[in-house]
Amino acid sequence: MVLLIHHPISPHSRKVRLLMSEKKILFSLKEENPWNLSKDALKLNPAGELPIFVFDGKYIAGNNSICEFLEETFPDQPLLFGDALQKAEIRRITEWFDTKFYREVHRTIVTEKVFKRFITGTSPNSQVLKNGLSNLNFHMEYIDWLCESRNFLAGDNLSLADLAAAAQLSVIDYLGDVPWESYKSAKIWYSKIKSRPSFKDILKDNIKGILPSRNYNNLDF
Amino acid sequence: MVLLIHHPISPHSRKVRLLMSEKKILFSLKEENPWNLSKDALKLNPAGELPIFVFDGKYIAGNNSICEFLEETFPDQPLLFGDALQKAEIRRITEWFDTKFYREVHRTIVTEKVFKRFITGTSPNSQVLKNGLSNLNFHMEYIDWLCESRNFLAGDNLSLADLAAAAQLSVIDYLGDVPWESYKSAKIWYSKIKSRPSFKDILKDNIKGILPSRNYNNLDF
């Protein structure tokens, strides 16, 4: 029995859900408030972060740690493959989205638009929000550039890098802030990921109190 | 021939240097401005981040990507070992320091005390700096708590988790901001890491324009 303690606004939770779905691992979900974990969840992850992976009375925290564990223990449908250099390329791009995109885009946009509105009840700082949206363009340019010469972000095949990037983008897309029309190659890439069976549940996600953007779950966006 | 493009204020560079030294890999160093990478370095890593690992005309960017590559291609002196659960624990703590400590402590303290002073020529924001130092205490408490029941952060043996944590702390220690006296178990742990041969070069580091704190390179601190 596999349980993922998660929240739909957490991109790292989405990444692990996508990875488990690609690997056809059956799992159930339990939602936690990402800004205020319960005491029980904090015992499992003192870092206070989501997701937390629970199985057979054991648990693993840390999104990279969970994904590497899943790759090792469920080697079918590998998402981290190839020789050492190919794996390095997959991990480089995965790390880019897990950490750089997360810090420069997710934390600014989601803090301003969601955290402030629903948790602290304060107004967004428009300059900070503008910086987050400007950072997003830099990341979109990079995805676009990669997709001009590659089928998927780290090469010819779908890898963990695509799941990491799509997980991050899907949260921003829920909020309606991804400028798809300016990045044609990135859009084609995202539509490929979006139409995968593993993405179905992500497209049904519902962040309490916020309606998804008009094209969030539209495959022809 | 292995080259690491790095900067002494970059904790992720320090982590890779420690890992290579533990593995007895010979390497040379080339310094880059971490806030403004040269065009050549940006070609190797469009993320604009350090370190960058160069060997045999190939290169790898992304600190996690480099460390996993080194573990795979230099399996002697493993720093990521054991069964899948033990590796998950090593990776969980590594990720904690690589990302959470980096975001909550390094980026606030180093931005306020170094980046603003030397790059933008502006004054530190004392409230932001105070938050960074307060966050540091949370992380110190966690190291202290881990070290009360373990020889090293992820268990009985030295692992990548220790290198990741010590690399981050060593930068803050250079600036003189680690409150060692309040965290006895953490201090004992750090003194073990500090006295390893792999740490010798780190203790000789010189961040241009900033003198190291009085006890930075003192083994009996």
Side-chain angles (χ1 to χ4, degrees), chain B residues 15 32 52 60 62 65 69 75 80-81 88 100 110 115 117 120 122-124 138 141 143 151 153 159 174 177 184 199:
Chain B
K15 177 186 168 208
E32 270 282 336
I52 304 167
I60 301 177
S65 177
F69 177 85
L80 193 48
F81 46 75
K100 187 178 173 69
V110 171
F115 178 72
R117 185 168 159 204
T120 63
T122 52
S123 304
F138 164 75
E141 268 167 38
I143 295 175
N151 278 333
L153 297 188
S159 76
Y174 188 100
D177 286 326
K184 299 290 179 200
F199 223 78

PDB file of all heavy atoms in Angstrom, chain B residues 15 32 52 60 62 65 69 75 80-81 88 100 110 115 117 120 122-124 138 141 143 151 153 159 174 177 184 199:
ATOM      1  N   LYS B  15      30.680  21.558  -1.858  1.00  0.00           N
ATOM      2  CA  LYS B  15      30.209  20.169  -1.704  1.00  0.00           C
ATOM      3  C   LYS B  15      30.888  19.249  -2.732  1.00  0.00           C
ATOM      4  O   LYS B  15      31.370  18.167  -2.380  1.00  0.00           O
ATOM      5  CB  LYS B  15      28.685  20.139  -1.887  1.00  0.00           C
ATOM      6  CG  LYS B  15      28.051  18.762  -1.836  1.00  0.00           C
ATOM      7  CD  LYS B  15      26.555  18.889  -2.184  1.00  0.00           C
ATOM      8  CE  LYS B  15      25.882  17.574  -2.453  1.00  0.00           C
ATOM      9  NZ  LYS B  15      24.731  17.705  -3.378  1.00  0.00           N
ATOM     10  N   GLU B  32      35.015  31.570 -10.937  1.00  0.00           N
ATOM     11  CA  GLU B  32      34.076  32.387 -11.719  1.00  0.00           C
ATOM     12  C   GLU B  32      33.313  33.289 -10.753  1.00  0.00           C
ATOM     13  O   GLU B  32      33.058  32.893  -9.615  1.00  0.00           O
ATOM     14  CB  GLU B  32      33.035  31.483 -12.406  1.00  0.00           C
ATOM     15  CG  GLU B  32      33.400  31.004 -13.780  1.00  0.00           C
ATOM     16  CD  GLU B  32      33.199  32.052 -14.884  1.00  0.00           C
ATOM     17  OE1 GLU B  32      32.388  32.967 -14.709  1.00  0.00           O
ATOM     18  OE2 GLU B  32      33.873  31.924 -15.916  1.00  0.00           O
ATOM     19  N   ILE B  52      30.490  23.975 -12.178  1.00  0.00           N
ATOM     20  CA  ILE B  52      30.414  23.260 -13.451  1.00  0.00           C
ATOM     21  C   ILE B  52      31.612  22.310 -13.488  1.00  0.00           C
ATOM     22  O   ILE B  52      32.740  22.714 -13.199  1.00  0.00           O
ATOM     23  CB  ILE B  52      30.470  24.236 -14.649  1.00  0.00           C
ATOM     24  CG1 ILE B  52      29.351  25.296 -14.530  1.00  0.00           C
ATOM     25  CG2 ILE B  52      30.367  23.481 -15.964  1.00  0.00           C
ATOM     26  CD1 ILE B  52      29.508  26.480 -15.486  1.00  0.00           C
ATOM     27  N   ILE B  60      29.414  18.838 -17.016  1.00  0.00           N
ATOM     28  CA  ILE B  60      28.151  18.567 -16.314  1.00  0.00           C
ATOM     29  C   ILE B  60      27.864  19.747 -15.402  1.00  0.00           C
ATOM     30  O   ILE B  60      28.750  20.220 -14.695  1.00  0.00           O
ATOM     31  CB  ILE B  60      28.239  17.280 -15.471  1.00  0.00           C
ATOM     32  CG1 ILE B  60      28.583  16.080 -16.361  1.00  0.00           C
ATOM     33  CG2 ILE B  60      26.929  17.014 -14.740  1.00  0.00           C
ATOM     34  CD1 ILE B  60      28.754  14.786 -15.590  1.00  0.00           C
ATOM     35  N   GLY B  62      24.872  21.423 -12.509  1.00  0.00           N
ATOM     36  CA  GLY B  62      23.855  20.980 -11.544  1.00  0.00           C
ATOM     37  C   GLY B  62      24.543  20.211 -10.439  1.00  0.00           C
ATOM     38  O   GLY B  62      25.121  19.146 -10.671  1.00  0.00           O
ATOM     39  N   SER B  65      23.395  16.617  -9.960  1.00  0.00           N
ATOM     40  CA  SER B  65      23.759  15.855 -11.145  1.00  0.00           C
ATOM     41  C   SER B  65      25.250  15.473 -11.116  1.00  0.00           C
ATOM     42  O   SER B  65      25.628  14.328 -11.404  1.00  0.00           O
ATOM     43  CB  SER B  65      23.436  16.713 -12.366  1.00  0.00           C
ATOM     44  OG  SER B  65      23.814  16.078 -13.536  1.00  0.00           O
ATOM     45  N   PHE B  69      26.786  11.672 -10.656  1.00  0.00           N
ATOM     46  CA  PHE B  69      27.716  11.218 -11.697  1.00  0.00           C
ATOM     47  C   PHE B  69      29.010  10.705 -11.061  1.00  0.00           C
ATOM     48  O   PHE B  69      29.528   9.636 -11.424  1.00  0.00           O
ATOM     49  CB  PHE B  69      28.010  12.363 -12.669  1.00  0.00           C
ATOM     50  CG  PHE B  69      29.004  12.016 -13.745  1.00  0.00           C
ATOM     51  CD1 PHE B  69      28.601  11.398 -14.923  1.00  0.00           C
ATOM     52  CD2 PHE B  69      30.361  12.295 -13.582  1.00  0.00           C
ATOM     53  CE1 PHE B  69      29.525  11.064 -15.911  1.00  0.00           C
ATOM     54  CE2 PHE B  69      31.289  11.969 -14.563  1.00  0.00           C
ATOM     55  CZ  PHE B  69      30.868  11.349 -15.733  1.00  0.00           C
ATOM     56  N   PRO B  75      33.159   4.675  -8.043  1.00  0.00           N
ATOM     57  CA  PRO B  75      32.444   3.984  -6.959  1.00  0.00           C
ATOM     58  C   PRO B  75      33.290   3.705  -5.709  1.00  0.00           C
ATOM     59  O   PRO B  75      32.724   3.379  -4.661  1.00  0.00           O
ATOM     60  CB  PRO B  75      31.960   2.682  -7.613  1.00  0.00           C
ATOM     61  CG  PRO B  75      32.834   2.488  -8.801  1.00  0.00           C
ATOM     62  CD  PRO B  75      33.307   3.838  -9.242  1.00  0.00           C
ATOM     63  N   LEU B  80      27.368   7.514  -1.034  1.00  0.00           N
ATOM     64  CA  LEU B  80      25.925   7.285  -1.215  1.00  0.00           C
ATOM     65  C   LEU B  80      25.819   5.773  -1.281  1.00  0.00           C
ATOM     66  O   LEU B  80      26.127   5.162  -2.303  1.00  0.00           O
ATOM     67  CB  LEU B  80      25.514   7.942  -2.540  1.00  0.00           C
ATOM     68  CG  LEU B  80      24.062   8.129  -2.875  1.00  0.00           C
ATOM     69  CD1 LEU B  80      23.269   8.728  -1.746  1.00  0.00           C
ATOM     70  CD2 LEU B  80      23.935   9.011  -4.116  1.00  0.00           C
ATOM     71  N   PHE B  81      25.448   5.143  -0.161  1.00  0.00           N
ATOM     72  CA  PHE B  81      25.627   3.689  -0.040  1.00  0.00           C
ATOM     73  C   PHE B  81      24.465   3.049   0.699  1.00  0.00           C
ATOM     74  O   PHE B  81      23.571   3.761   1.191  1.00  0.00           O
ATOM     75  CB  PHE B  81      26.937   3.411   0.723  1.00  0.00           C
ATOM     76  CG  PHE B  81      27.077   4.273   1.945  1.00  0.00           C
ATOM     77  CD1 PHE B  81      26.325   4.012   3.087  1.00  0.00           C
ATOM     78  CD2 PHE B  81      27.916   5.396   1.943  1.00  0.00           C
ATOM     79  CE1 PHE B  81      26.417   4.825   4.207  1.00  0.00           C
ATOM     80  CE2 PHE B  81      28.007   6.214   3.071  1.00  0.00           C
ATOM     81  CZ  PHE B  81      27.267   5.924   4.189  1.00  0.00           C
ATOM     82  N   ALA B  88      17.962   6.624   0.457  1.00  0.00           N
ATOM     83  CA  ALA B  88      16.900   7.642   0.514  1.00  0.00           C
ATOM     84  C   ALA B  88      17.148   8.592   1.685  1.00  0.00           C
ATOM     85  O   ALA B  88      16.925   9.802   1.573  1.00  0.00           O
ATOM     86  CB  ALA B  88      15.529   6.985   0.638  1.00  0.00           C
ATOM     87  N   LYS B 100      16.851  23.491   0.950  1.00  0.00           N
ATOM     88  CA  LYS B 100      16.137  24.225   2.016  1.00  0.00           C
ATOM     89  C   LYS B 100      17.088  25.170   2.774  1.00  0.00           C
ATOM     90  O   LYS B 100      16.814  26.361   2.903  1.00  0.00           O
ATOM     91  CB  LYS B 100      15.491  23.214   2.968  1.00  0.00           C
ATOM     92  CG  LYS B 100      14.584  23.838   4.012  1.00  0.00           C
ATOM     93  CD  LYS B 100      13.938  22.750   4.877  1.00  0.00           C
ATOM     94  CE  LYS B 100      13.170  23.365   6.043  1.00  0.00           C
ATOM     95  NZ  LYS B 100      11.953  24.094   5.631  1.00  0.00           N
ATOM     96  N   VAL B 110      23.937  35.582   2.689  1.00  0.00           N
ATOM     97  CA  VAL B 110      24.972  35.959   1.720  1.00  0.00           C
ATOM     98  C   VAL B 110      24.500  37.106   0.820  1.00  0.00           C
ATOM     99  O   VAL B 110      25.289  37.994   0.476  1.00  0.00           O
ATOM    100  CB  VAL B 110      25.460  34.722   0.921  1.00  0.00           C
ATOM    101  CG1 VAL B 110      26.356  35.123  -0.238  1.00  0.00           C
ATOM    102  CG2 VAL B 110      26.205  33.784   1.863  1.00  0.00           C
ATOM    103  N   PHE B 115      26.537  40.038  -1.263  1.00  0.00           N
ATOM    104  CA  PHE B 115      26.084  40.507  -2.580  1.00  0.00           C
ATOM    105  C   PHE B 115      25.777  42.010  -2.558  1.00  0.00           C
ATOM    106  O   PHE B 115      26.261  42.760  -3.410  1.00  0.00           O
ATOM    107  CB  PHE B 115      24.846  39.712  -3.016  1.00  0.00           C
ATOM    108  CG  PHE B 115      24.284  40.155  -4.326  1.00  0.00           C
ATOM    109  CD1 PHE B 115      24.936  39.887  -5.522  1.00  0.00           C
ATOM    110  CD2 PHE B 115      23.078  40.867  -4.377  1.00  0.00           C
ATOM    111  CE1 PHE B 115      24.403  40.296  -6.740  1.00  0.00           C
ATOM    112  CE2 PHE B 115      22.544  41.280  -5.585  1.00  0.00           C
ATOM    113  CZ  PHE B 115      23.211  40.998  -6.768  1.00  0.00           C
ATOM    114  N   ARG B 117      26.761  44.296  -0.444  1.00  0.00           N
ATOM    115  CA  ARG B 117      27.933  45.107  -0.118  1.00  0.00           C
ATOM    116  C   ARG B 117      28.893  45.229  -1.297  1.00  0.00           C
ATOM    117  O   ARG B 117      29.373  46.313  -1.613  1.00  0.00           O
ATOM    118  CB  ARG B 117      28.626  44.457   1.084  1.00  0.00           C
ATOM    119  CG  ARG B 117      29.781  45.239   1.632  1.00  0.00           C
ATOM    120  CD  ARG B 117      30.204  44.677   2.983  1.00  0.00           C
ATOM    121  NE  ARG B 117      31.570  45.056   3.300  1.00  0.00           N
ATOM    122  CZ  ARG B 117      32.348  44.378   4.124  1.00  0.00           C
ATOM    123  NH1 ARG B 117      31.900  43.292   4.722  1.00  0.00           N
ATOM    124  NH2 ARG B 117      33.577  44.791   4.358  1.00  0.00           N
ATOM    125  N   THR B 120      26.085  45.237  -5.435  1.00  0.00           N
ATOM    126  CA  THR B 120      25.164  46.334  -5.716  1.00  0.00           C
ATOM    127  C   THR B 120      25.522  47.602  -4.932  1.00  0.00           C
ATOM    128  O   THR B 120      24.980  48.671  -5.209  1.00  0.00           O
ATOM    129  CB  THR B 120      23.703  45.954  -5.388  1.00  0.00           C
ATOM    130  OG1 THR B 120      23.600  45.696  -3.970  1.00  0.00           O
ATOM    131  CG2 THR B 120      23.275  44.690  -6.133  1.00  0.00           C
ATOM    132  N   THR B 122      24.705  48.360  -1.959  1.00  0.00           N
ATOM    133  CA  THR B 122      23.588  48.843  -1.136  1.00  0.00           C
ATOM    134  C   THR B 122      23.726  48.310   0.289  1.00  0.00           C
ATOM    135  O   THR B 122      24.555  47.440   0.567  1.00  0.00           O
ATOM    136  CB  THR B 122      22.236  48.387  -1.731  1.00  0.00           C
ATOM    137  OG1 THR B 122      22.299  46.966  -1.936  1.00  0.00           O
ATOM    138  CG2 THR B 122      21.953  49.069  -3.051  1.00  0.00           C
ATOM    139  N   SER B 123      22.902  48.822   1.189  1.00  0.00           N
ATOM    140  CA  SER B 123      22.978  48.386   2.588  1.00  0.00           C
ATOM    141  C   SER B 123      22.146  47.125   2.796  1.00  0.00           C
ATOM    142  O   SER B 123      21.095  46.966   2.180  1.00  0.00           O
ATOM    143  CB  SER B 123      22.412  49.467   3.507  1.00  0.00           C
ATOM    144  OG  SER B 123      23.095  50.653   3.290  1.00  0.00           O
ATOM    145  N   PRO B 124      22.628  46.270   3.699  1.00  0.00           N
ATOM    146  CA  PRO B 124      21.820  45.083   4.003  1.00  0.00           C
ATOM    147  C   PRO B 124      20.488  45.485   4.636  1.00  0.00           C
ATOM    148  O   PRO B 124      20.416  46.502   5.323  1.00  0.00           O
ATOM    149  CB  PRO B 124      22.669  44.320   5.032  1.00  0.00           C
ATOM    150  CG  PRO B 124      23.986  44.989   5.100  1.00  0.00           C
ATOM    151  CD  PRO B 124      23.861  46.344   4.476  1.00  0.00           C
ATOM    152  N   PHE B 138      17.060  27.192  13.357  1.00  0.00           N
ATOM    153  CA  PHE B 138      16.199  26.029  13.113  1.00  0.00           C
ATOM    154  C   PHE B 138      17.027  24.877  12.518  1.00  0.00           C
ATOM    155  O   PHE B 138      16.923  23.719  12.953  1.00  0.00           O
ATOM    156  CB  PHE B 138      15.054  26.431  12.164  1.00  0.00           C
ATOM    157  CG  PHE B 138      14.335  25.274  11.545  1.00  0.00           C
ATOM    158  CD1 PHE B 138      13.433  24.512  12.290  1.00  0.00           C
ATOM    159  CD2 PHE B 138      14.564  24.921  10.215  1.00  0.00           C
ATOM    160  CE1 PHE B 138      12.768  23.433  11.716  1.00  0.00           C
ATOM    161  CE2 PHE B 138      13.909  23.836   9.633  1.00  0.00           C
ATOM    162  CZ  PHE B 138      13.012  23.094  10.391  1.00  0.00           C
ATOM    163  N   GLU B 141      19.399  23.420  15.141  1.00  0.00           N
ATOM    164  CA  GLU B 141      18.663  22.534  16.049  1.00  0.00           C
ATOM    165  C   GLU B 141      18.476  21.158  15.435  1.00  0.00           C
ATOM    166  O   GLU B 141      18.589  20.132  16.110  1.00  0.00           O
ATOM    167  CB  GLU B 141      17.261  23.108  16.324  1.00  0.00           C
ATOM    168  CG  GLU B 141      17.216  23.987  17.548  1.00  0.00           C
ATOM    169  CD  GLU B 141      15.920  24.780  17.628  1.00  0.00           C
ATOM    170  OE1 GLU B 141      14.848  24.244  17.271  1.00  0.00           O
ATOM    171  OE2 GLU B 141      15.991  25.963  18.037  1.00  0.00           O
ATOM    172  N   ILE B 143      20.369  19.695  13.060  1.00  0.00           N
ATOM    173  CA  ILE B 143      21.661  19.000  13.031  1.00  0.00           C
ATOM    174  C   ILE B 143      21.969  18.466  14.435  1.00  0.00           C
ATOM    175  O   ILE B 143      22.359  17.307  14.609  1.00  0.00           O
ATOM    176  CB  ILE B 143      22.795  19.953  12.564  1.00  0.00           C
ATOM    177  CG1 ILE B 143      22.578  20.378  11.108  1.00  0.00           C
ATOM    178  CG2 ILE B 143      24.166  19.289  12.730  1.00  0.00           C
ATOM    179  CD1 ILE B 143      23.589  21.405  10.605  1.00  0.00           C
ATOM    180  N   ASN B 151      26.226   9.032  14.623  1.00  0.00           N
ATOM    181  CA  ASN B 151      27.604   9.497  14.446  1.00  0.00           C
ATOM    182  C   ASN B 151      27.701  10.573  13.374  1.00  0.00           C
ATOM    183  O   ASN B 151      28.454  11.529  13.498  1.00  0.00           O
ATOM    184  CB  ASN B 151      28.494   8.337  13.991  1.00  0.00           C
ATOM    185  CG  ASN B 151      28.942   7.491  15.151  1.00  0.00           C
ATOM    186  OD1 ASN B 151      29.036   7.971  16.271  1.00  0.00           O
ATOM    187  ND2 ASN B 151      29.225   6.221  14.876  1.00  0.00           N
ATOM    188  N   LEU B 153      25.272  12.536   9.960  1.00  0.00           N
ATOM    189  CA  LEU B 153      23.892  13.007   9.785  1.00  0.00           C
ATOM    190  C   LEU B 153      22.919  11.946   9.296  1.00  0.00           C
ATOM    191  O   LEU B 153      21.762  11.929   9.693  1.00  0.00           O
ATOM    192  CB  LEU B 153      23.858  14.225   8.835  1.00  0.00           C
ATOM    193  CG  LEU B 153      24.591  15.479   9.315  1.00  0.00           C
ATOM    194  CD1 LEU B 153      24.309  16.653   8.384  1.00  0.00           C
ATOM    195  CD2 LEU B 153      24.201  15.855  10.737  1.00  0.00           C
ATOM    196  N   SER B 159      28.630  10.378   4.952  1.00  0.00           N
ATOM    197  CA  SER B 159      27.944  10.256   3.657  1.00  0.00           C
ATOM    198  C   SER B 159      27.873  11.617   2.978  1.00  0.00           C
ATOM    199  O   SER B 159      28.296  12.642   3.540  1.00  0.00           O
ATOM    200  CB  SER B 159      26.530   9.705   3.845  1.00  0.00           C
ATOM    201  OG  SER B 159      25.683  10.728   4.342  1.00  0.00           O
ATOM    202  N   TYR B 174      32.486  31.001   7.650  1.00  0.00           N
ATOM    203  CA  TYR B 174      33.489  31.957   7.136  1.00  0.00           C
ATOM    204  C   TYR B 174      33.066  33.374   7.512  1.00  0.00           C
ATOM    205  O   TYR B 174      33.891  34.213   7.880  1.00  0.00           O
ATOM    206  CB  TYR B 174      33.578  31.817   5.612  1.00  0.00           C
ATOM    207  CG  TYR B 174      34.701  32.613   4.966  1.00  0.00           C
ATOM    208  CD1 TYR B 174      35.894  31.993   4.600  1.00  0.00           C
ATOM    209  CD2 TYR B 174      34.564  33.977   4.697  1.00  0.00           C
ATOM    210  CE1 TYR B 174      36.928  32.716   3.992  1.00  0.00           C
ATOM    211  CE2 TYR B 174      35.578  34.699   4.098  1.00  0.00           C
ATOM    212  CZ  TYR B 174      36.761  34.064   3.740  1.00  0.00           C
ATOM    213  OH  TYR B 174      37.766  34.775   3.151  1.00  0.00           O
ATOM    214  N   ASP B 177      28.927  33.571  11.401  1.00  0.00           N
ATOM    215  CA  ASP B 177      27.545  33.650  11.892  1.00  0.00           C
ATOM    216  C   ASP B 177      26.994  32.368  12.497  1.00  0.00           C
ATOM    217  O   ASP B 177      25.799  32.312  12.814  1.00  0.00           O
ATOM    218  CB  ASP B 177      26.625  34.104  10.738  1.00  0.00           C
ATOM    219  CG  ASP B 177      26.806  35.591  10.435  1.00  0.00           C
ATOM    220  OD1 ASP B 177      27.067  36.345  11.386  1.00  0.00           O
ATOM    221  OD2 ASP B 177      26.707  35.976   9.253  1.00  0.00           O
ATOM    222  N   LYS B 184      25.951  21.978  20.958  1.00  0.00           N
ATOM    223  CA  LYS B 184      27.137  21.182  21.296  1.00  0.00           C
ATOM    224  C   LYS B 184      27.303  19.955  20.399  1.00  0.00           C
ATOM    225  O   LYS B 184      28.408  19.636  19.967  1.00  0.00           O
ATOM    226  CB  LYS B 184      27.057  20.722  22.766  1.00  0.00           C
ATOM    227  CG  LYS B 184      27.014  21.859  23.776  1.00  0.00           C
ATOM    228  CD  LYS B 184      28.352  22.588  23.863  1.00  0.00           C
ATOM    229  CE  LYS B 184      28.281  23.736  24.862  1.00  0.00           C
ATOM    230  NZ  LYS B 184      29.326  24.742  24.670  1.00  0.00           N
ATOM    231  N   PHE B 199      38.864  18.368   3.966  1.00  0.00           N
ATOM    232  CA  PHE B 199      38.410  19.710   4.336  1.00  0.00           C
ATOM    233  C   PHE B 199      39.534  20.749   4.326  1.00  0.00           C
ATOM    234  O   PHE B 199      39.279  21.949   4.420  1.00  0.00           O
ATOM    235  CB  PHE B 199      37.748  19.667   5.719  1.00  0.00           C
ATOM    236  CG  PHE B 199      36.473  20.475   5.810  1.00  0.00           C
ATOM    237  CD1 PHE B 199      35.285  19.981   5.289  1.00  0.00           C
ATOM    238  CD2 PHE B 199      36.450  21.738   6.386  1.00  0.00           C
ATOM    239  CE1 PHE B 199      34.106  20.717   5.357  1.00  0.00           C
ATOM    240  CE2 PHE B 199      35.282  22.494   6.457  1.00  0.00           C
ATOM    241  CZ  PHE B 199      34.107  21.979   5.947  1.00  0.00           C
TER     242      PHE B 199
END
